[in-house]
Amino acid sequence: MNGHSNLTYPDVPATETSSSPFVGGARSMDAPGIAEAADYRSGEQGPMGLVSSPFADGLLGSGRSEADEAFGALVSELTDEGFDEAVQDLVDEAAGRHLTSAGTWSSEATGYLATGEVQNWMAELAAEADRMLEHVEQHFAARTPESLTDGEVDAALAELLAEAGPRLDGENFFGALARKAGSLLKGAAKLAKRGVAFAGRLVLGPLVGALRRIVPALLNWVLRKALNLLPENMRNDAAALAASFGITLPTAPTAPAAAATEPVPAGAADPAAGAEPTAGAALAELFDAHLAEAVLGGDQPATSRLTAEAQVTVEEDGRSAVAGLDAARATLTEQLAAAETGSVLTTEVEQFIPAVMAALPLIRAGIRVIGRDRVVGLIARPLAELIKGRVGPDATKVLSRAIADKGLALLRLEAESATDGRLGAEALVSMLEDTIRAVGELPAESLAEPLRVRAELQEAFGEAAARHLPAELLRADLDTNEIDGESAVWVMMPRGPGRRYRYRKCSRTFPVRISRNVARAVVLADGGTLEQRFLDEGTAGWPAEAEVHLYEALPGTHLGQLAASEDRADTSEFELLTPGTAALLLGQPGVGRAGYGVGRRYFRVVPGRGWRHPRQFKRAVVVLVLTGPRPVLRVHLRLSERAAHRLTELLAQGADVRIVTGFRSLILGLAKQSLPARIARQAQRTPDVALTAEQTQTLAAAVGERMVVAVAQQLRSLAPALAAAARDPAEGLTLTFEFGFADRAALAAGRPDAPNLTVRPGRHRD
């Protein structure tokens, strides 16, 4: 964007000596012995019997090409990234409610009672969803798919949403579920018009009835995911997720957002960020597969099993690897604080290691090859030796006081400053946990070499010490500090008697004065920039003053838990903290982390006085329709109310060049940052459609350039519609670009037709 323009738009996107890090020098690491550790459930996560296959025998088998095509077409029609987001919001909300509730009960009853409260809330959602879908089912009860006219479904659903009021605003779960019902009806109509016989014989009421029966199962999965009773490493490929439950589904290769070897520009999101599958997307994909099979296969027994499973009470018990890690942390913390000074707690560390491994699925492959006991034996004794001078009541109290001094005000650690050694012992446990994770993530060939393991352990433990203990407790020559200047510690949160820690928070906050150029360079998850967010939130001038808070994910972290614990924030306030963003925003590149998974970091900007901090909306919505011979791609570009009014001001001034420059910046940012991965994820859901990373990047670039050209060509003719949309009471406006393709080969080659461009008031998804 032109630096002089005030118009911004969303979406731019053997014995070995090892050095102890503590003051006091080096300690000897004796050759470790191998001890029997606690039971480790290799390769298993969560209740794998949760979901039964819904697929009718032979539906997707060979010789059923018509069924294959119909199944793929219906799943493609059902695909809706807005529904994915709504399901993810439910996961976050449930996780946050559970964590908040757990803090209000005694430790003995915490899990049972907190889970019961969230189940009651989920039951209310299920009842309301059922009432809404019952209304839709009755409206279309005896209609056949062929009888639907163009626009009829959308009109009926719009009337339903209008009557229901703000509870069904189109952005939350109920609005997304209404859209899902509409997609199901329209998908059935399209299949009927194409002559798919089994779809043509259906009437529409039972289709919505099938949707009603499966929704409780989805909400049950949401609750289980929020309680970490489903696998952490669910892929966003529906076929891979379904296969993890024994379901056979056509597969398509994953297309990453960008080549992993490409450098990350300062301030930009990690290249792989857009390809990271959320729990919401994974659950929504599985839901769509079940729904399509229930409709096309008529498998009533499978649907009945799903319905029955949804009635089973969810209990957070020992099956959760995260709950097991909670218990193991608490046990080891007590053992370290109560030990005799100078003890080498090898057995205790050996018992802790499997709990860490069980909660970190990505480390299991190499360990299965080498053997759990061998890995435990290699690292338990050295780790116990490294902390032996810091265990016991006196030593852990010293650590506790030093840590509390770093986080008294921010982390509310006053009550823990000198009463016991819990804070200090927890810091030691965090150091051990991080070191175990780093060693466990080594490939099998590295784990097989003891000296390589020792080297990784030495480096990882030193880095962990610098994160979790104040600098004055560490050797002066230790060069693993990630933050320059005033030292900081990462403390497990939220604090409370239950010790159900779900994230870490940095004890240091960063007061910042952010220039407009820096804000413009910080790219957010949706491809927009921090500048656009600041302007939408009402910042009055530059540089903008704010505070930046930092967070780190633990196994089982959901953003809803951060939001519930951090001043009732919204999940949209938390953004990934990459090294580039940390350098731009804080001048501290070392505190950033690239990629996802356990250990990923987030930042939250707490606005200065006079700002408002509304819930962020999705700046762009992408819809890929692959149900017909000619694919269609729609990109809905959604402007805030402020940006809409600024646009009309510039139109009135005749500042066309500045307007096109602004659109160019936001559109090409979208095309580079998030559009490739979003196209790839939607394409993956359709059997026999596979786009490589190079193809999605080529396609996104072509789409972005054609969007800019369309704005330039039609700006003057669209001016009245833009002005009218800005004056409309609906919040913001939406520019929809609809691209057609000659066929799927043209889609793969990145050859879109010129788009149709429309303008509507409000924020639209389709």
Side-chain angles (χ1 to χ4, degrees), residues 280-621:
L283 294 177
E285 287 168 338
L286 185 57
F287 177 79
D288 289 349
H290 278 292
L291 179 57
E293 176 56 22
V295 169
L296 297 175
D299 189 359
Q300 293 299 325
T303 305
S304 298
R305 285 195 299 272
L306 284 177
T307 305
E309 287 164 357
Q311 309 305 317
V312 176
T313 299
V314 175
E315 295 181 3
E316 189 182 20
D317 57 23
R319 292 178 298 173
S320 166
V322 174
L325 182 55
D326 283 337
R329 287 192 191 113
T331 297
L332 185 57
T333 296
E334 297 298 332
Q335 291 169 337
L336 296 182
E340 292 186 10
T341 301
S343 298
V344 181
L345 305 179
T346 304
T347 300
E348 290 80 356
V349 174
E350 286 175 340
Q351 293 169 345
F352 179 64
I353 292 172
V356 178
M357 293 177 176
L360 296 168
L362 293 179
I363 74 175
R364 295 180 179 177
I367 290 174
R368 282 200 296 269
V369 173
I370 302 303
R372 178 205 66 189
D373 290 347
R374 175 172 170 78
V375 175
V376 170
L378 277 173
I379 65 178
R381 178 64 183 231
L383 288 174
E385 286 282 353
L386 282 168
I387 64 171
K388 71 177 183 180
R390 300 300 182 270
V391 303
D394 294 337
T396 53
K397 284 181 182 179
V398 170
L399 296 179
S400 291
R401 285 193 290 270
I403 293 168
D405 287 345
K406 292 293 180 183
L408 274 174
L410 176 66
L411 304 179
R412 304 177 182 92
L413 302 180
E414 295 93 335
E416 301 183 58
S417 61
T419 56
D420 56 38
R422 175 176 159 188
L423 264 179
E426 283 181 348
L428 295 176
V429 171
S430 285
M431 293 160 58
L432 295 174
E433 184 176 334
D434 287 0
T435 305
I436 294 165
R437 184 181 78 231
V439 173
E441 289 174 347
L442 290 173
E445 58 270 23
S446 297
L447 284 170
E449 175 49 59
L451 187 57
R452 173 67 180 91
V453 173
R454 294 288 187 87
E456 187 70 24
L457 183 147
Q458 172 69 66
E459 185 71 14
F461 190 80
E463 292 174 353
R467 288 192 296 271
H468 301 300
L469 295 177
E472 54 267 28
L473 299 179
L474 305 176
R475 299 197 328 262
D477 64 336
L478 196 67
D479 59 357
T480 55
N481 292 328
E482 59 185 18
I483 300 178
D484 295 328
E486 177 189 350
S487 68
V489 293
W490 292 84
V491 179
M492 290 192 289
M493 299 289 285
R495 308 305 299 173
R499 304 191 190 186
R500 304 163 74 87
Y501 301 125
R502 292 298 175 261
Y503 63 96
R504 293 176 181 145
K505 186 172 184 180
C506 183
S507 66
R508 178 176 169 185
T509 57
F510 295 81
V512 292
R513 300 180 78 245
I514 305 172
S515 71
R516 191 164 192 170
N517 282 337
V518 167
R520 186 174 298 165
V522 175
V523 181
L524 306 179
D526 65 355
T529 67
L530 194 59
E531 177 196 24
Q532 292 149 4
R533 176 174 290 188
F534 280 6
L535 290 172
D536 290 345
E537 292 174 353
T539 185
W542 304 94
E545 296 188 358
E547 278 189 345
V548 178
H549 296 236
L550 307 182
Y551 309 87
E552 181 176 294
L554 293 170
T557 293
H558 297 288
L559 284 183
Q561 295 160 338
L562 275 70
S565 303
E566 295 292 319
D567 304 320
R568 297 290 180 177
D570 191 271
T571 55
S572 63
E573 297 177 33
F574 299 88
E575 293 281 344
L576 280 177
L577 183 68
T578 66
T581 297
L584 280 168
L585 199 56
L586 309 174
Q588 301 277 1
V591 79
R593 294 272 179 87
Y596 288 84
V598 174
R600 65 191 179 276
R601 287 184 175 168
Y602 298 97
F603 70 93
R604 175 185 172 220
V605 178
V606 178
R609 184 176 301 176
W611 292 24
R612 59 189 178 92
H613 215 331
R615 176 176 173 81
Q616 298 298 310
F617 61 92
K618 194 79 171 180
R619 307 278 177 160
V621 177

Side-chain angles (χ1 to χ4, degrees), residues 631-635 703 706-707 737-741 752-755:
V632 174
L633 175 67
R634 286 189 289 273
V635 181
V703 164
R706 283 186 174 264
M707 288 171 67
F737 301 79
E738 181 169 309
F739 295 88
F741 297 83
D753 298 336

Side-chain angles (χ1 to χ4, degrees), residues 204 233 270 281 285 711 763:
L204 296 177
N233 62 337
D270 188 288
E285 287 168 338
V711 169
R763 296 171 187 158

